[in-house]
Amino acid sequence: MECRFIKCHGSGNDFPLVDGRALTLSEADWTQLARALADRAGPVGGDGLLVLTGRDGDAAFGMRMFNSDGSEAETCLNGLRCVARAGFEALGIDRATARLKTSRATVAAAAPLAEGVYTVEETAGPATLDLARWPLTGAGERLVDAPLAMLPTDRRFTAVAMPNPHLVAFVDRVDEDELVRVGQVCEGAPDWLPNRANVSFVEVRDDATLFVRTFERGVGLTDSCGSAMAASTYAACLTRRIAFDRDVTVLNRGGLVRARATAAAMVTLHGNATWEWEGVVDVDLSEARAGNLRILHRHDDEVAAWARVAAAAR
């Protein structure tokens, strides 16, 4: 099949984005398409595949997000901003309710984070601490700033669903080797965590700045994970490391977002939705392989604008 897409990113979390409103693919085909397009060894590459879907009740459009291994995630807040931009441009609107796999979120075009940076405000939640919904067994009904005996570390974790599952540990300094070891245990889908989980190590830089590094379920280490930044912000407020209802800068390897969490467990992010380039590629779904890439348009000004933001964040 021939597939047209936009290569985009939210805070360095990069994806091919497909308008799926007129596509009729089986679930197996979507899995294969994600594996083909997101393959880092292929012509496109990404942390996963984003799909713009059609109206559903009060939702003007929806999003599906497939990880690079073909599994489908409940949400992806960095990706949602990109899908929201595509939905806004397709429908001629600037705010909407968006349908996610298991929840809804509100999205709106927002004032730019910096000159030349297309910015979207998104509000998701409520976050939940109920471990039975993951499920995560053997740790009680909830886990807040406490060790998890099944992991190869004595770090203290807070378990938050956003609505995808996150384990958040606050550290003085991120140790990536340790993060990978913990992440790989969760990625193995042990009996106590059958649906796996995202794992984040978080540095509290000051009372309004976090740095988040994430091992993402189905992907591995990522430059950025939007739902992890939201979960980390809420966990930081819950454990009184920062205050609820305060604007926070959340730094990551790909740049930053602005975040605010409420005591009602809602989290709002302001972040970029940057178009990098647009292209078309031939995909062999049976082999999950893409080839014969043709680049149709490059968005060099947007890429440069975000590069300045990311450099300043570092």
Side-chain angles (χ1 to χ4, degrees), residues 47-239:
D47 287 329
L49 171 67
L50 301 175
V51 184
L52 172 67
T53 62
R55 174 175 289 278
D56 180 11
D58 66 330
F61 52 81
M63 176 188 80
R64 299 186 73 180
M65 186 275 180
F66 296 87
N67 297 310
S68 56
D69 67 356
S71 60
E72 187 172 3
E74 292 90 341
T75 189
C76 170
L77 295 182
N78 285 333
L80 175 60
R81 298 196 303 275
C82 296
V83 172
R85 176 177 176 177
F88 295 160
E89 293 182 359
L91 300 175
I93 58 179
D94 62 6
R95 62 183 59 247
T97 295
R99 179 183 54 79
L100 311 178
K101 182 180 180 183
T102 60
S103 63
R104 277 164 158 67
T106 59
V107 288
L113 285 174
E115 183 178 356
V117 175
Y118 189 101
T119 301
V120 173
E121 175 188 282
E122 56 189 342
T123 299
T128 178
L129 304 175
D130 181 5
L131 295 182
R133 295 176 61 178
W134 291 37
L136 190 163
T137 58
E141 295 181 356
R142 56 185 240 165
L143 184 75
V144 178
D145 211 17
L148 191 55
M150 296 82 89
L151 295 178
T153 179
D154 58 3
R155 301 281 187 193
R156 303 173 72 86
F157 288 88
T158 298
V160 181
M162 201 66 224
N164 51 343
H166 292 269
L167 289 169
V168 177
F170 294 94
V171 300
D172 292 331
R173 186 174 182 84
V174 171
D175 180 332
E176 288 194 0
D177 291 338
E178 181 184 10
L179 175 58
V180 169
R181 287 196 302 272
V182 175
Q184 287 176 338
V185 169
C186 296
E187 187 70 1
D191 290 344
W192 55 272
L193 189 66
N195 294 323
R196 307 179 293 171
N198 305 283
V199 182
S200 293
F201 283 1
V202 182
E203 299 173 12
V204 181
R205 298 280 177 87
D206 58 44
D207 61 2
T209 309
L210 304 176
F211 173 79
V212 179
R213 191 79 169 110
T214 300
F215 188 100
E216 189 170 355
R217 179 182 59 169
V219 181
L221 276 179
T222 56
D223 283 347
S224 170
C225 173
S227 59
M229 291 186 288
S232 298
T233 301
Y234 178 68
C237 293
L238 187 70
T239 58

